């Protein structure tokens, strides 16, 4: 059984906490912080100590961690997703879902991460879910590590047209929870832009997260959105007014 809590240090408790959240790709509400040692200032630059904390996942993460332990030998499985309103699912195709699941398992094996991998097929994509006690580290800050994993698997599986559908990888429902949070934040910031009558910027996000914001506000009256910045600093800007409304700019 692998641990589900980690120890971090920093010049302050807040710095150690922020380092932990960024490395694990979690939000403050997702973890319980225990202060093991407060920072101690040095005397004449001697004997100073950093803050030391432990971080333990709680909430939805805690519930997930209490599920049945992952068997030592992890075998890719497939399951048919229940049909949701306005969506249709295709019959399962082991030929299509087996390759992505096997590739994800291989990557996890190289990284020394034990997890359960499940793949299911929809009309236009293949969804690969990863479950396990120590998989949060695969998310990364803002989901960047998860995006990189997804990109790698898509490239590898599309080689020689083995898999033609787009592959989406999720870790214990992270993307769904993150989508809800982004949509809520987008609404709040849109209201702020209208109230202040000036543009507001969101924090830097990955391309997939920026798309969520653009799409959530495309029908919002009184604002329009665009992306500004380069590389890791690229972010969504919400503008008040009707000019270019409902035409998200994303490159």
């Amino acid at each position: 059984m692998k641990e589900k809590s980690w120890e971090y240090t920093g010049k302050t408790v807040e710095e150690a906490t922020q380092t932990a959240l960024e490395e694990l790709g979690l939000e403050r509400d997702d973890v319980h912080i225990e202060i093991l040692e407060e920072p101690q200032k040095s005397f004449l630059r001697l004997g100073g100590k950093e803050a030391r904390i432990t971080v333990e996942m709680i909430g939805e993460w805690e519930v997930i961690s209490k599920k049945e332990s992952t068997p030592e030998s992890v075998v890719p499985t497939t399951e048919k997703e229940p049909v949701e309103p306005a969506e249709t699912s295709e019959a399962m195709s082991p030929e299509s879902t087996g390759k992505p699941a096997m590739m994800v398992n291989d990557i996890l094996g190289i990284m020394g991460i034990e997890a359960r991998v499940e793949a299911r097929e929809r009309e236009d994509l293949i969804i690969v879910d990863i479950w396990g006690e120590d998989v949060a580290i695969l998310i990364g800050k803002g989901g960047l590590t998860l995006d990189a994993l997804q990109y790698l698997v898509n490239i590898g599986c599309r080689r020689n047209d083995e898999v033609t559908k787009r592959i989406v990888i999720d870790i214990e429902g992270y993307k769904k929870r993150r989508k809800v949070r982004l949509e809520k934040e987008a609404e709040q910031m849109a209201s702020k832009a209208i109230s202040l009558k000036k543009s507001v910027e969101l924090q830097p996000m990955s391309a997939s997260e920026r798309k969520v914001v653009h799409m959530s506000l495309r029908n919002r009256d009184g604002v329009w959105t665009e992306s500004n910045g380069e590389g890791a600093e690229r972010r969504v800007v919400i503008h008040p007014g009707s000019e270019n409304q409902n035409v998200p700019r994303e490159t």
Side-chain angles (χ1 to χ4, degrees), residues 7 66 81 93 127 150 159 186 188 192-193 247 249:
E7 184 175 311
K66 290 180 181 178
E81 185 179 60
S93 172
I127 302 173
Q150 180 173 291
R159 188 178 304 167
Q188 292 173 339
K192 181 178 179 180
V247 184
R249 299 176 179 177

Side-chain angles (χ1 to χ4, degrees), residues 13-239:
V13 171
E14 183 58 35
E15 180 182 287
T17 300
Q18 188 61 34
T19 299
L21 296 178
E22 290 181 359
E23 182 175 314
L24 297 173
L26 298 174
E27 302 290 338
R28 184 62 183 83
D29 292 340
D30 294 327
V31 298
H32 169 70
I33 304 295
E34 181 180 352
I35 301 174
L36 300 179
E37 191 170 5
E38 292 280 1
Q40 296 179 13
K41 293 183 178 181
S42 62
F43 178 70
L44 298 179
R45 297 185 178 181
L46 297 174
K49 292 185 178 180
E50 291 188 321
R52 193 161 59 92
I53 64 171
T54 56
V55 179
E56 183 175 2
M57 295 183 294
I58 59 174
E60 293 178 81
W61 296 99
E62 185 179 44
V63 172
I64 290 169
S65 71
K66 290 180 181 178
K67 290 185 176 182
E68 183 176 349
S69 300
T70 305
E72 292 183 3
S73 178
V74 181
V75 180
T77 60
T78 59
E79 63 176 23
K80 188 171 181 179
E81 185 179 60
V83 177
E84 300 176 356
E87 285 189 312
T88 58
S89 299
E90 290 184 350
M92 293 308 302
S93 172
E95 292 76 18
S96 296
T97 59
K99 177 70 175 180
M102 284 295 295
M103 186 170 183
V104 169
N105 262 315
D106 288 344
I107 294 173
L108 296 181
I110 293 172
M111 298 177 68
I113 296 177
E114 297 180 3
R116 186 173 77 255
V117 178
E118 299 176 348
R120 59 189 189 276
E121 187 173 3
R122 284 188 175 176
E123 183 177 352
D124 58 343
L125 53 82
I126 294 172
I127 302 173
V128 180
D129 290 307
I130 303 174
W131 304 87
E133 290 190 357
D134 57 352
V135 295
I137 197 171
L138 292 172
I139 297 173
K141 183 179 180 180
L144 291 178
T145 303
L146 179 55
D147 285 347
L149 174 62
Q150 180 173 291
Y151 175 79
L152 180 63
V153 173
N154 270 280
I155 294 298
C157 289
R158 289 181 180 179
R159 188 178 304 167
N160 301 322
D161 294 327
E162 292 179 271
V163 178
T164 57
K165 293 185 177 181
R166 184 169 67 93
I167 300 168
V168 174
I169 299 178
D170 199 3
I171 295 177
E172 300 193 330
Y174 166 82
K175 286 187 175 180
K176 182 177 180 179
R177 294 194 302 277
R178 180 63 173 162
K179 182 174 181 291
V180 170
R181 286 174 177 165
L182 287 173
E183 289 173 341
K184 181 179 180 180
E185 180 182 358
E187 283 294 328
Q188 292 173 339
M189 296 301 282
S191 297
K192 181 178 179 180
I194 293 173
S195 175
L196 297 178
K197 296 182 180 180
K198 67 177 184 180
S199 302
V200 295
E201 291 185 344
L202 278 67
Q203 74 274 19
M205 298 177 184
S206 64
S208 60
E209 292 184 329
R210 294 195 302 270
K211 182 178 179 181
V212 170
V213 176
H214 286 310
M215 296 302 291
S216 69
L217 296 179
R218 62 178 178 171
N219 294 318
R220 178 69 149 81
D221 292 334
V223 297
W224 60 280
T225 65
E226 67 174 342
S227 290
N228 283 337
E230 299 294 334
E233 292 302 312
R234 194 159 177 78
R235 66 191 68 205
V236 175
V237 181
I238 304 175
H239 301 284

